[in-house]
Every structure is written in structure tokens, then in C-alpha cells.
Amino acid sequence: SSELDAFNFAAVGRDDLREFTVKVEDDGELVAGLSGWTWGTCAGIGMVWVRDDARRDGWGSRLLGAAEDVARERGCRQVLVSSFTFQAPDFYRRHGYVEVARSPDLPVEGEADVHFLKAVR
């Protein structure tokens, strides 16, 4: 991994790859969380999770907004995320994310992995 990172950093002239997390806790219990990364002008969201009993309380939107804030603070211009069709693609669309690609029949026939992008200047 470190050799691949070195190759990638040299190829683009940027070695500022950093991870970040955003989380919500209530009395020490995890309610919601998001993990992602930034590198150069791009940020990526790897995972978003909201506890079942806390859904519909707006935590997903707040997490997404916080991630976009981190991206802007670190000089990123865009955020990438993917969502399976059975997860939350409409959630990302409602927040201004645009579908840029789709991997069909993933993880099973009839479903897809939907790839989104949003400008965050």
C-alpha cells in the first residue's frame, strides 16, 4: 500500500491524502457516523450509517453537510460517493449529488452500485 501511495502521489504531485470521520453520540452511544477521505481537489465518502431508531431525525443530512464542510476546508472542489440501489441513492440526489456512473447487477442481478458527484466550492 505504501508503494502504491508513493506512486500515486508522485503521479499527481499531491501527497495530502487524509481520512476523516464525523459522528453523533448520545450519552456515549453512537447514533450516526460517516467516514471519508480527501486528496487533492477531491473528497470521497466511504460509509454513512444512522441507527434505525434515529432515522428521519435529519442526522444523515447533517453528517453529509459536515463532510462537505471538511472537503471545502481542505480545498476540495468535489465529493464522490456511491450507494447501492437498495440503500439511499435518492438521499444523495436530494442533496445535490448527480449520478455519473452505475455498475449494474452489483451486488446481485437487478441491483446496482450508483456513483455520484457533487461540486462543493
Side-chain angles (χ1 to χ4, degrees), residues 2-100:
S2 63
E3 293 299 318
L4 180 58
D5 284 345
F7 174 85
N8 290 342
F9 296 159
V12 299
R14 298 285 295 260
D15 65 353
D16 57 349
L17 176 65
R18 290 189 288 166
E19 295 180 354
F20 67 90
T21 58
V22 181
K23 64 182 179 175
V24 177
E25 292 182 333
D26 182 24
D27 291 328
E29 295 286 324
L30 186 63
V31 175
L34 179 150
S35 63
W37 52 268
T38 59
W39 182 28
T41 61
C42 188
I45 296 171
M47 186 275 312
V48 178
W49 174 83
V50 179
R51 197 171 66 198
D52 284 342
D53 67 345
R55 294 195 177 157
R56 307 278 182 237
D57 291 342
W59 292 117
S61 297
R62 289 183 209 137
L63 290 172
L64 199 55
E68 293 169 4
D69 288 344
V70 169
R72 280 189 284 277
E73 289 165 9
R74 294 184 182 181
C76 298
R77 297 183 194 149
Q78 58 189 351
V79 178
L80 303 166
V81 66
S82 69
S83 177
F84 290 117
T85 48
F86 56 86
Q87 290 177 323
D90 289 337
F91 168 79
Y92 294 106
R93 287 185 187 101
R94 282 194 309 273
H95 288 86
Y97 286 76
V98 176
E99 182 175 335
V100 294

Side-chain angles (χ1 to χ4, degrees), residues 95-113:
H95 288 86
Y97 286 76
V98 176
E99 182 175 335
V100 294
R102 183 178 283 245
S103 301
D105 296 329
L106 184 67
V108 297
E109 189 173 329
E111 299 293 350
D113 192 4

